[in-house]
Amino acid sequence: MIKIFIVTHKILPLLSNEILIPIQVGKNENITETILRDNTHDNISEKNNNYCELTAMYWIWKNIKDVKYVGICHYRRYFNFFNPIFNLKPSAQKKINSSNFKRTKIFTSNTLELENKINSLLKNHDIILMKPYKFKNTTLTQNYCKEHRQEDWELVKKIIIEKYPEYKKSIIKYLDEGVLFHVANMMICSKEIFDNYHSWLFSILFELETKINIPTDQYQARVFGFISERLINLYVYHNNFKIKKIPSFRITDL
């Protein structure tokens, strides 16, 4: 069984079926009466302003059982499994409007076709991630420190080394010197890998949360979401995962 959760906060996603399941995050009123919410059962929904899609990922980690593969995408970002015309270089993420999305076979609402595609990809790979951006004149660490608070980044690296000292060399290799950046926290993998990763990730972020003051700026307040986008890169490369890198597309008018 495969479940890919489409994280949303303001509109109903364009796709929904037995595999593609919308999940609403945050405090807004229900988009529909029946939409799945991340504020039920074991949850951290109240942290959404700071953790972004991670509140949905926490909910999936804690509450979804009996699935073989699990993953997330976003209401306006999807993996491009089916249409190679949108795989043209150099960008790993193509832009498309919702009208073209409905007319062009980039994704599919056919559950059997989608299930077969994902099963075939994960037969020989550990995880599906977005095709990475490759920095030319900077690194993941330099990029984060330029765009966000450097002290938070240095502290999270310190926490990782204290909790997981085996990551020390990998931090240098894949963060301080690393130039590949799989963005958006989008992934599909076995539930076992998903659970192990999020157990590792939240042990780090929850400790970081106790040691920093969350920025008052609404954008920078998404600190844990921004940091986690970089840490998935550290985790998959440190653990030598076989990664299937899939181009993606972003719906521009949503």
Side-chain angles (χ1 to χ4, degrees), residues 8-181:
T8 187
H9 68 283
K10 63 179 183 179
I11 64 170
L12 196 64
L14 297 175
L15 292 177
S16 177
N17 56 37
E18 294 177 358
I19 293 177
L20 300 168
I21 304 169
I23 180 169
Q24 183 179 341
V25 298
K27 301 177 181 179
N28 295 343
E29 294 184 4
N30 287 3
I31 297 169
T32 68
E33 292 183 359
T34 58
I35 194 167
L36 185 66
R37 295 295 302 262
D38 76 343
N39 62 356
T40 60
H41 307 296
D42 189 346
N43 74 86
I44 57 168
S45 181
E46 75 282 356
K47 297 180 184 289
N48 181 257
N49 287 343
N50 312 124
Y51 278 76
C52 308
E53 63 273 359
L54 292 183
T55 60
M57 298 170 86
Y58 179 96
W59 191 93
I60 296 163
W61 168 37
K62 291 293 187 178
N63 298 295
I64 294 299
K65 312 294 181 183
D66 301 324
V67 295
K68 182 178 182 180
Y69 297 125
V70 67
I72 76 152
C73 54
H74 300 263
Y75 70 99
R76 57 184 178 184
R77 287 189 180 92
Y78 295 85
F79 290 107
N80 180 1
F81 285 121
F82 293 103
N83 198 319
I85 194 172
F86 284 90
N87 295 358
L88 301 176
K89 295 181 179 181
S91 175
Q93 182 173 227
K94 295 298 180 183
K95 296 179 180 180
I96 190 171
N97 62 41
S98 54
S99 296
N100 287 335
F101 170 89
K102 294 175 182 178
R103 293 196 301 265
T104 306
K105 187 181 177 183
I106 302 173
F107 217 79
T108 180
S109 58
N110 184 309
T111 56
L112 181 59
E113 188 175 20
L114 181 58
E115 184 176 20
N116 288 340
K117 183 69 172 182
I118 293 171
N119 278 325
S120 68
L121 294 175
L122 289 175
K123 183 177 181 180
N124 298 308
H125 297 87
D126 298 307
I127 192 167
I128 297 170
L129 296 176
M130 281 177 56
K131 186 177 178 181
Y133 290 99
K134 186 175 183 179
F135 295 124
K136 293 183 179 180
N137 300 307
T138 191
T139 67
L140 261 70
T141 286
Q142 291 168 340
N143 170 262
Y144 187 90
C145 294
K146 178 182 178 181
E147 301 291 334
H148 310 289
R149 296 193 309 197
Q150 181 175 350
E151 58 267 31
D152 298 339
W153 185 248
E154 296 303 326
L155 182 54
V156 80
K157 291 194 294 180
K158 181 180 179 182
I159 290 171
I160 295 171
I161 292 171
E162 290 174 348
K163 296 177 72 70
Y164 305 100
E166 67 273 19
Y167 277 79
K168 186 174 182 178
K169 291 183 179 179
S170 291
I171 286 174
I172 296 172
K173 183 175 181 180
Y174 300 118
L175 298 181
D176 294 343
E177 299 175 354
V179 296
L180 296 180
F181 186 16

